[in-house]
Amino acid sequence: MATVIDGRKLAKELNQQTKERVAKLASRGIQPGIVVILVGEDPASVIYTRNKQRKAEKLGIKSILKKFPADVDQVTVMAAVDQYNHDDTIDAILVQEPLPDQLDGQAITNAIRPDKDIDGLHPTNLGKLYANQPGNYPVACTPRGVMTMLHHHHVELAGKNATIVGRSILVGKPMAALLNNANATTTLASRHTRDLAAATRQADILVVAAGSPHLIKAEDVKPGAVVIDVGINRLSSGKLTGDVDFEHVQDVASLITPVPGGVGPMTIASLMQQTVDLAEWRHNGQK
Amino acid sequence: MATVIDGRKLAKELNQQTKERVAKLASRGIQPGIVVILVGEDPASVIYTRNKQRKAEKLGIKSILKKFPADVDQVTVMAAVDQYNHDDTIDAILVQEPLPDQLDGQAITNAIRPDKDIDGLHPTNLGKLYANQPGNYPVACTPRGVMTMLHHHHVELAGKNATIVGRSILVGKPMAALLNNANATTTLASRHTRDLAAATRQADILVVAAGSPHLIKAEDVKPGAVVIDVGINRLSSGKLTGDVDFEHVQDVASLITPVPGGVGPMTIASLMQQTVDLAEWRHNGQK
């Protein structure tokens, strides 16, 4: 029976550390600030954005929600990014996905100042991560939170096989880069992968971010594997469930995250942690 | 018995195309230009640099060799990079590796203008590649040459397993990104990989860039696999050999590159091709 990672507890501990760092910055007259740019009224985005705001305020981080109607044009969003790029009270700029079709999300991402790019999506930050450059730069918060969980549970990574299912820029690719930088042998699988079970069964560390409920069954998992479930799917019953068949996979894995209460809370806690990082790096002139 | 890829023949064809593109640019009064910055007298680097120069001149590309003594300091090299960043007759800046210990190679790479970064090593270019962004940006020339070879031989990549042995920034990582972008399932192995044979035996496409003579034997290769050997090792006999035991692996593979005469010529041809790309992109104001 696998040990179940308590993401809520870990997130609470991390948030406590973040709060203390915010207090230290306050004594220097600095308050970290994050702006979330939200376009339209996508219900999941509205909820997620609200959660981020509440958490930020609770930790003493300045939080701004910049809302645009669903039919906003590119120039208007780009002007807002430019404004926050130059706003000294803002350390972190987050553009909530998904964006409506008329917007060029990539141009918006590339316009964010790399040192305010809280999601680590700017090519300069992603490239530094992929190159395993030393120094300070933001990394996507979900994979960062996963690394914190693995570290907390003393999961050995060097020389181990890590398979990542799903290759988004926000999760799969930075996750693969982080695991590779930790000297794991990484396999990046996607919906194109023909024999997904072969790719997952070789994994000592399996990270699933496919957005497909119960995609991974017990027989797809190597006995003793560490299984990290990034999926959050809402079933027709209203119940939240992951990409992993938790009930059965927990009999095979050695360590596993639940949904909800696993990766989710750690993502928001890592977002707060990194907002404070960005504030510290910028105010200390670190690179 | 595997079909042996004729890298010299393919390179010749590619160089012919490049020459024609140079001629077209000449009719607009444009000559593509490359500068190679060489520090010290490393014998392999001197030979490789000379080959690049000769090839460039033969194709009508302006070629400058900027030599520094082995004990040059950081400021001097950075000043040279800055000079060529602003030199309108230079489209491509290449800093020949290895660099002596007193130099910070990463700071030098990061100082090259991304649109003159012929090796695709700048984090902005590497990040765009990893993110699979559309648009024009340089990619490391060895993996680019490998993709040209695979394309020429109509190797199907989508859904196939690709294993890359070696994870350098110049070869392994951009190779993995290119194969992933072509929808292959990519595994990035390194010297930390515990069961290398398991990683290589699953590969439909196997790219080896480990710098270890005859690391890959026949029993490490899946029957029918495509085997690309990036290694160039000089044996004590003076003979050049690859990372793959060609003599025996050719009985197992369906398609294989020899050493010499495989990847090597394609790397230089791709370097020339990309120098002309950079000139065209810059002069056409493309992004």
Side-chain angles (χ1 to χ4, degrees):
Chain A
M1 204 66 175
T3 300
V4 178
I5 296 179
D6 188 342
R8 289 198 186 97
K9 182 162 171 276
L10 268 177
K12 209 171 164 183
E13 289 169 17
L14 182 53
N15 285 331
Q16 185 55 37
Q17 290 168 23
T18 301
K19 204 171 168 180
E20 287 162 17
R21 293 170 64 204
V22 171
K24 265 197 193 163
L25 283 171
S27 70
R28 293 165 57 192
I30 297 166
Q31 184 187 27
I34 182 169
V35 58
V36 177
I37 297 178
L38 176 65
V39 178
E41 303 276 347
D42 178 69
S45 294
V46 169
I47 292 170
Y48 191 46
T49 301
R50 196 187 300 144
N51 289 344
K52 286 173 186 168
Q53 276 214 289
R54 282 188 188 153
K55 185 59 74 186
E57 283 158 15
K58 221 170 148 181
L59 300 179
I61 294 169
K62 173 182 161 179
S63 171
I64 293 178
L65 178 61
K66 179 72 182 176
K67 282 170 93 169
F68 289 109
D71 63 350
V72 67
D73 63 15
Q74 183 79 10
V75 172
T76 307
V77 178
M78 293 289 270
V81 168
D82 188 59
Q83 178 203 323
Y84 294 116
N85 278 345
H86 293 91
D87 183 339
D88 197 48
T89 71
I90 292 296
D91 300 287
I93 303 172
L94 190 155
V95 179
Q96 183 66 46
E97 307 232 331
L99 292 172
D101 287 345
Q102 82 274 11
L103 295 180
D104 178 351
Q106 193 168 269
I108 295 169
T109 297
N110 290 4
I112 296 173
R113 259 177 65 163
D115 61 352
K116 294 189 176 188
D117 168 36
I118 185 71
D119 270 339
L121 294 177
H122 192 285
T124 298
N125 291 321
L126 195 64
K128 284 182 178 178
L129 175 67
Y130 196 44
N132 197 16
Q133 287 201 4
N136 295 319
Y137 45 86
V139 172
C141 295
T142 299
R144 186 171 174 182
V146 171
M147 292 305 282
T148 302
M149 290 195 293
L150 295 175
H151 184 74
H152 180 89
H153 285 276
H154 307 289
V155 176
E156 199 192 347
L157 298 172
K160 294 299 182 79
N161 285 340
T163 295
I164 300 94
V165 182
R167 50 175 184 166
S168 71
I169 294 304
L170 203 50
V171 181
K173 286 183 181 181
M175 188 79 252
L178 284 165
L179 290 167
N180 189 262
N181 292 347
N183 296 325
T185 302
T186 50
T187 297
L188 194 48
S190 73
R191 65 192 162 81
H192 294 276
T193 300
R194 286 188 197 162
D195 190 349
L196 183 61
T200 61
R201 273 200 295 258
Q202 75 186 12
D204 303 302
I205 295 104
L206 175 60
V207 182
V208 190
S212 177
H214 291 195
L215 176 70
I216 303 297
K217 317 279 189 205
E219 62 265 28
D220 303 324
V221 175
K222 182 178 177 174
V226 174
V227 178
I228 306 291
D229 189 350
V230 183
I232 301 182
N233 311 284
R234 192 171 290 277
L235 300 178
S236 54
S237 66
K239 201 189 153 203
L240 286 181
T241 191
D243 291 350
V244 173
D245 179 6
F246 180 85
E247 200 190 334
H248 298 103
V249 171
Q250 67 176 333
D251 294 336
V252 181
S254 65
L255 193 64
I256 189 169
T257 60
V259 176
V263 171
M266 281 303 287
T267 294
I268 295 200
S270 300
L271 184 76
M272 298 300 129
Q273 174 191 33
Q274 193 156 267
T275 298
V276 178
D277 287 344
L278 292 179
E280 287 181 355
W281 297 341
R282 199 162 61 86
H283 285 283
N284 296 345
Q286 288 172 345
K287 279 202 181 148
Chain B
M1 206 63 175
T3 301
V4 178
I5 296 179
D6 188 343
R8 289 198 185 96
K9 181 161 172 277
L10 268 177
K12 208 172 166 183
E13 289 169 18
L14 182 54
N15 285 331
Q16 184 55 37
Q17 291 168 23
T18 300
K19 204 172 169 179
E20 288 162 16
R21 293 170 65 205
V22 171
K24 266 198 190 160
L25 283 171
S27 70
R28 293 165 57 192
I30 297 166
Q31 184 187 29
I34 183 169
V35 59
V36 177
I37 297 177
L38 176 64
V39 178
E41 304 276 349
D42 177 70
S45 294
V46 169
I47 292 169
Y48 191 46
T49 302
R50 195 187 301 144
N51 289 344
K52 286 172 187 170
Q53 276 214 289
R54 281 188 190 153
K55 184 60 72 185
E57 283 158 16
K58 221 170 149 181
L59 299 179
I61 295 170
K62 174 182 160 180
S63 171
I64 294 178
L65 178 61
K66 179 72 182 175
K67 283 171 93 169
F68 288 109
D71 64 350
V72 67
D73 64 15
Q74 183 79 10
V75 172
T76 306
V77 178
M78 293 290 270
V81 168
D82 188 59
Q83 178 203 325
Y84 294 116
N85 278 345
H86 292 91
D87 183 339
D88 198 48
T89 70
I90 292 297
D91 300 287
I93 302 172
L94 191 155
V95 179
Q96 183 68 45
E97 307 233 332
L99 292 172
D101 287 344
Q102 83 273 12
L103 294 179
D104 178 351
Q106 194 168 269
I108 295 169
T109 297
N110 290 4
I112 296 173
R113 258 176 65 164
D115 61 351
K116 293 189 175 188
D117 168 35
I118 185 71
D119 270 339
L121 294 177
H122 192 285
T124 297
N125 290 320
L126 195 63
K128 285 182 177 179
L129 175 66
Y130 195 45
N132 197 17
Q133 288 201 6
N136 295 320
Y137 44 88
V139 172
C141 295
T142 298
R144 186 171 174 182
V146 171
M147 293 304 283
T148 302
M149 290 196 293
L150 295 175
H151 184 74
H152 180 88
H153 285 275
H154 307 289
V155 176
E156 200 192 347
L157 298 171
K160 295 299 183 77
N161 286 339
T163 295
I164 300 94
V165 182
R167 50 175 184 165
S168 71
I169 294 305
L170 204 50
V171 181
K173 287 184 181 183
M175 188 77 252
L178 284 165
L179 290 167
N180 189 262
N181 292 348
N183 297 325
T185 302
T186 50
T187 297
L188 194 47
S190 73
R191 64 192 163 82
H192 294 277
T193 300
R194 286 189 197 160
D195 190 349
L196 183 62
T200 59
R201 273 200 295 257
Q202 75 185 14
D204 302 301
I205 296 104
L206 175 61
V207 182
V208 191
S212 177
H214 291 196
L215 176 69
I216 303 298
K217 317 279 188 204
E219 61 267 28
D220 303 324
V221 175
K222 182 178 176 174
V226 173
V227 178
I228 306 292
D229 189 351
V230 183
I232 302 182
N233 311 286
R234 192 171 290 277
L235 300 178
S236 53
S237 66
K239 199 189 154 204
L240 286 181
T241 190
D243 292 350
V244 173
D245 179 8
F246 180 86
E247 200 190 334
H248 298 102
V249 172
Q250 67 175 333
D251 295 336
V252 181
S254 65
L255 193 63
I256 190 169
T257 59
V259 175
V263 171
M266 280 304 285
T267 294
I268 294 199
S270 301
L271 185 77
M272 298 300 130
Q273 174 191 32
Q274 192 155 268
T275 298
V276 179
D277 287 343
L278 291 179
E280 288 181 354
W281 297 341
R282 199 162 61 87
H283 285 284
N284 296 345
Q286 289 172 342
K287 281 208 179 144

